[in-house]
Amino acid sequence: MTSGVVGYTYGDDNLCPSCTVGRMRANGIKVARSSEQDEAIQRAAERVGVDYSDERSYDSSNFPKTITSQQSRTELTELPDGERGEIEDEKCDRCEKWMKLGEKSPTEAGLTRWVRDGYELPQALARETARKLRKWGLSHPEFITEDNVREAAAIFPHDYATMHAEGNPHRTVLMSTPQYDNDPCLYCEQPWEKHTFTCPTCGNHVPADAPHGHEVQVKGQIKFRETKPGT
């Protein structure tokens, strides 16, 4: 393949080389079988009278135009707080492989496993985090940063956890309450006060620093029992 060529614009689609060849054959253009697909496409251009070296001389609806690695971009417009981002790659519109990576994004379950194992998130939180990352357009681990994961995890209610060493000899343990001021959560790196917990009594989401309680009947009397978020 010609250096830097990762795909082609053909008609209304951006396609990887394999899908481009398949589309050309479906349109009646003979393309030789070759591991060097760009060269095979060039030879096909000669047979149909297309000046492949001058892409301004023909329309992409008639014959494919190259996409180079420098041109391959995916703009992200769904990031939180109006942020904008860009991935230096793009998917084939037919097979959905990333053109430069040469592979598809993992399934939702696969991305969930990657988030869970890579960032030590509980399964339920990893699943919601993976869904949010995919919604933002970050569907492949190659394009995901730790900040992306932590930012997505912070959106969903989850139990606060901080990690510290204790005992002698030291062992690492998870703790459900902060040990120091602004002790960050292992999962989202936010302080305890920024968390929203699910009340075990009513199931509602409750801010960590908000008072919350329920009336309960004890020995024939109704008493008010205050419950602390996260307990």
Side-chain angles (χ1 to χ4, degrees), residues 26 42 61-62 80 109 116 118 198:
Q42 289 187 57
S61 60
N62 300 318
R116 180 196 65 198
T198 302

Side-chain angles (χ1 to χ4, degrees), residues 62-90:
N62 300 318
F63 201 86
K65 295 188 176 186
T66 59
I67 300 173
T68 67
S69 58
Q70 290 78 17
Q71 294 170 323
S72 183
R73 296 285 188 275
T74 299
E75 185 180 9
L76 303 178
T77 59
E78 298 294 330
L79 295 175
D81 300 325
E83 296 178 39
R84 302 185 74 85
E86 189 176 72
I87 294 174
E88 294 185 359
D89 203 343
E90 64 181 300

Side-chain angles (χ1 to χ4, degrees), residues 172-189:
T172 301
V173 296
L174 285 179
M175 299 178 177
S176 60
T177 56
Q179 305 302 297
Y180 309 103
D181 290 344
N182 296 318
D183 212 355
C185 173
L186 172 67
Y187 307 132
C188 67
E189 296 188 341

Side-chain angles (χ1 to χ4, degrees), residues 3-23:
S3 176
V5 175
V6 296
Y8 298 85
T9 297
Y10 194 16
D12 294 328
D13 294 324
N14 290 332
L15 304 172
C16 69
S18 294
C19 289
T20 300
V21 170
R23 180 72 59 82

Side-chain angles (χ1 to χ4, degrees), residues 5 9 22 54 63 73 80 86 97 99 101 113 121 133 162 167-168 192 204 207 218 220-221 224-225 228 230:
V5 175
T9 297
D54 182 8
F63 201 86
R73 296 285 188 275
E86 189 176 72
K97 283 184 179 178
M99 294 183 188
L101 282 178
R113 287 192 297 272
L121 269 60
L133 290 169
T162 185
N168 187 16
W192 186 86
N204 291 328
V218 180
Q221 296 181 342
F224 183 81
R225 178 173 64 87
K228 296 181 180 179

